[in-house]
Amino acid sequence: MATFCIAHLYPDLMNLYGDRGNLICLQKRLQWYGHDCLVQPVNLSSEVDYSTFDMIFMGGGSDREQGLVYRDLLRRADQLWKQLDAGLPALFICGAYQLLGTHYESADGKQLKGLGFFNLCTRSEKERLIGNIVLACRINQQIITVVGFENHGGRTYLEDKSLEPFGMVLAGFGNNGEDGQEGVRYKNLIGTYLHGPLLPKNPAVADYFIHMMAARKGIEITGTLNDRLEDFAHQQIKRRILGS
Ligand code: GLN
């Protein structure tokens, strides 16, 4: 039995629409696979060494909360990038995903500097993009559907055309409601607008993170879980949204 440790960045500020459910899902599935999982909160001005974690998770937050956390994140941006670039698994949702880019411009024209990890930027508009969403994503060399819920004023553009989106939109808005792209993917990092939360409804994505975490520890995850209920929930949502 191994113990996995996941950093939960700013749990009191960045946690919208049940984003914490992603951590409960990872923790539970790791337990069902016979392992242990600790979730360590990282708060404003906590001292932290990202190299000690198996995964990083940060949920969404409003413009106000984003403004509160981004300076703190910038303080240790180099350390964080070093780990992400080395393949540390990471999931950044909505407001957290937006902060990975060069900047975020709010609807009233205020600019918030991002971490600048990727050449993507976000411009916010008054009219929000809200609703259920279905994507086609490549996970473990297979194209699968991913379902979720989105609620954002920001329109994100992958300015660097070599950046890979997390998925392509089958129904919903995605990054900007225009180009059919959703999220960003880099090594073992996924940035996405999908709240909902993402992982319980998409167990293949949860297992993708679990296998990546395990591989980096030199551990093999054995056995399979019974995902009948999760798959049923996934299919129901998909059918309701796509009508097929
Ligand atoms: N403030 C951002 C937006 O509305 C992020 C909101 C969120 O995380 N749901 O675009």
Side-chain angles (χ1 to χ4, degrees), residues 32-126:
W32 289 333
Y33 281 122
H35 299 287
D36 223 352
C37 177
L38 304 172
V39 173
Q40 190 178 314
V42 173
N43 295 304
L44 287 181
S45 53
S46 302
E47 280 320 311
V48 59
D49 176 358
Y50 290 118
S51 70
T52 59
F53 297 112
D54 296 298
M55 181 169 167
I56 305 270
F57 172 75
M58 183 167 160
S62 68
D63 291 14
R64 178 184 162 274
E65 273 90 31
Q66 285 174 289
L68 292 173
V69 301
Y70 94 100
R71 262 189 219 95
D72 196 63
L73 271 173
L74 274 178
R75 232 168 29 93
R76 29 194 188 196
D78 290 351
Q79 198 213 124
L80 180 56
W81 176 249
K82 195 169 155 211
Q83 296 306 320
L84 298 173
D85 198 35
L88 182 66
L91 176 59
F92 289 85
I93 312 272
C94 200
Y97 158 46
Q98 293 170 344
L99 291 180
L100 302 175
T102 51
H103 61 275
Y104 174 78
E105 190 181 311
S106 57
D108 56 10
K110 276 199 209 101
Q111 283 237 1
L112 195 66
K113 193 166 170 312
L115 291 164
F117 292 166
F118 306 112
N119 190 4
L120 61 87
C121 67
T122 303
R123 208 185 49 242
S124 193
E125 287 179 25
K126 284 225 161 54

Side-chain angles (χ1 to χ4, degrees), residues 225-233:
L225 301 182
N226 178 349
D227 285 331
R228 217 158 44 87
L229 271 179
E230 289 83 348
D231 290 340
F232 181 73

Side-chain angles (χ1 to χ4, degrees), residues 14 16-17 19 59-63 66 93-96 98 104 122 124 128 151-155 193 195:
M14 302 295 283
L16 284 176
Y17 317 119
D19 285 342
S62 68
D63 291 14
Q66 285 174 289
I93 312 272
C94 200
Q98 293 170 344
Y104 174 78
T122 303
S124 193
R128 301 186 66 78
N151 183 350
H152 48 110
R155 272 71 168 164
Y193 273 112
H195 293 280

Side-chain angles (χ1 to χ4, degrees), residues 105-237:
E105 190 181 311
S106 57
D108 56 10
K110 276 199 209 101
Q111 283 237 1
L112 195 66
K113 193 166 170 312
L115 291 164
F117 292 166
F118 306 112
N119 190 4
L120 61 87
C121 67
T122 303
R123 208 185 49 242
S124 193
E125 287 179 25
K126 284 225 161 54
E127 196 185 325
R128 301 186 66 78
L129 306 178
I130 305 174
N132 291 317
I133 176 164
V134 184
L135 309 178
C137 298
R138 185 184 294 278
I139 298 287
N140 301 327
Q141 313 310 326
Q142 268 188 302
I143 302 289
I144 61 159
T145 52
V146 166
V147 299
F149 165 76
E150 58 182 328
N151 183 350
H152 48 110
R155 272 71 168 164
T156 298
Y157 298 89
L158 306 186
E159 308 234 287
D160 174 352
K161 296 301 167 213
S162 68
L163 280 175
E164 190 189 343
F166 171 44
M168 296 308 289
V169 178
L170 299 178
F173 299 104
N175 277 347
N176 48 52
E178 295 162 31
D179 61 17
Q181 298 187 326
E182 204 295 317
V184 73
R185 188 147 177 197
Y186 177 76
K187 299 198 175 170
N188 294 324
L189 172 151
I190 292 174
T192 177
Y193 273 112
L194 272 64
H195 293 280
L198 170 70
L199 301 182
K201 290 182 204 161
N202 300 285
V205 184
D207 276 358
Y208 160 78
F209 280 121
I210 287 174
H211 283 96
M212 288 305 158
M213 283 195 271
R216 284 167 51 88
K217 269 177 137 41
I219 290 166
E220 205 190 329
I221 298 286
T222 50
T224 47
L225 301 182
N226 178 349
D227 285 331
R228 217 158 44 87
L229 271 179
E230 289 83 348
D231 290 340
F232 181 73
H234 181 108
Q235 291 306 332
Q236 289 294 312
I237 302 167

